[in-house]
Amino acid sequence: MRVYLSTTLDELQTTPPRLAGPRAAHAVTAPLRALWPEEDEEGWEYAAQASAADDSLVLLAGRPGAPRLRLVVAADVPESCVQTPAEPSVPSAVTVTCDVDLRAMAAVHVDDVGAAADVAAAAEGDEAAIGRLDEHDLLWYDLAELAEIPVP
């Protein structure tokens, strides 16, 4: 099952990259499909990824030394590792109970360095900056390009 995990760039720079479970994540879920029944799979995946990007702001707020970029890992995990919370905060919310290692990671989505000031302000709770982040799409990186992600 494809899941979208919020993280920070410094957390991914372990060797080899590994995200410990259990961990909040997002996925294309039945409630998400029900919310937007006219949408297609690509649209639902984008919505799940966007929710994970929003969650990355919370992570950044708690990691002042992390580069100020939203970062989302797309990973493929067994369905047995994915649980839906009893009362999800958003329709795409899930919990990944297993560790996610490099073999499960499909890609990384990260802000352009031009968004860093808005990301920093949004992580501090600036509502205007949070709104401006809607104008910034996350860029796609292959896992082999992790070291090449520009850092502000």
Side-chain angles (χ1 to χ4, degrees):
M1 176 175 198
R2 174 63 52 100
V3 294
Y4 298 90
L5 301 120
S6 306
T7 188
T8 59
L9 193 55
D10 61 328
E11 186 179 20
L12 262 191
Q13 292 175 332
T14 59
T15 305
R18 182 179 201 81
L19 300 175
R23 179 180 200 101
H26 294 271
V28 176
T29 62
L32 182 62
R33 286 186 168 108
L35 183 63
W36 291 309
E38 72 287 347
E39 198 57 70
D40 61 9
E41 195 70 25
E42 186 175 312
W44 292 320
E45 288 177 355
Y46 183 82
Q49 175 193 321
S51 290
D54 291 345
D55 285 356
S56 71
L57 292 173
V58 175
L59 294 175
L60 286 169
R63 295 179 76 108
R68 299 337 245 174
L69 300 171
R70 295 174 297 168
L71 196 138
V72 175
V73 172
D76 297 311
V77 300
E79 285 191 37
S80 61
C81 290
V82 180
Q83 295 178 346
T84 302
E87 295 187 32
S89 56
V90 294
S92 60
V94 296
T95 300
V96 175
T97 58
C98 304
D99 289 355
V100 178
D101 64 21
L102 189 61
R103 294 176 310 227
M105 296 177 191
V108 173
H109 304 274
V110 63
D111 277 304
D112 177 287
V113 293
D118 282 333
V119 171
E124 305 248 337
D126 182 327
E127 293 294 326
I130 292 170
R132 287 190 302 272
L133 287 178
D134 288 339
E135 300 168 17
H136 295 279
D137 286 328
L138 299 182
L139 304 176
W140 182 93
Y141 284 88
D142 184 86
L143 292 166
E145 299 173 307
L146 281 177
E148 298 169 28
I149 295 173
V151 178

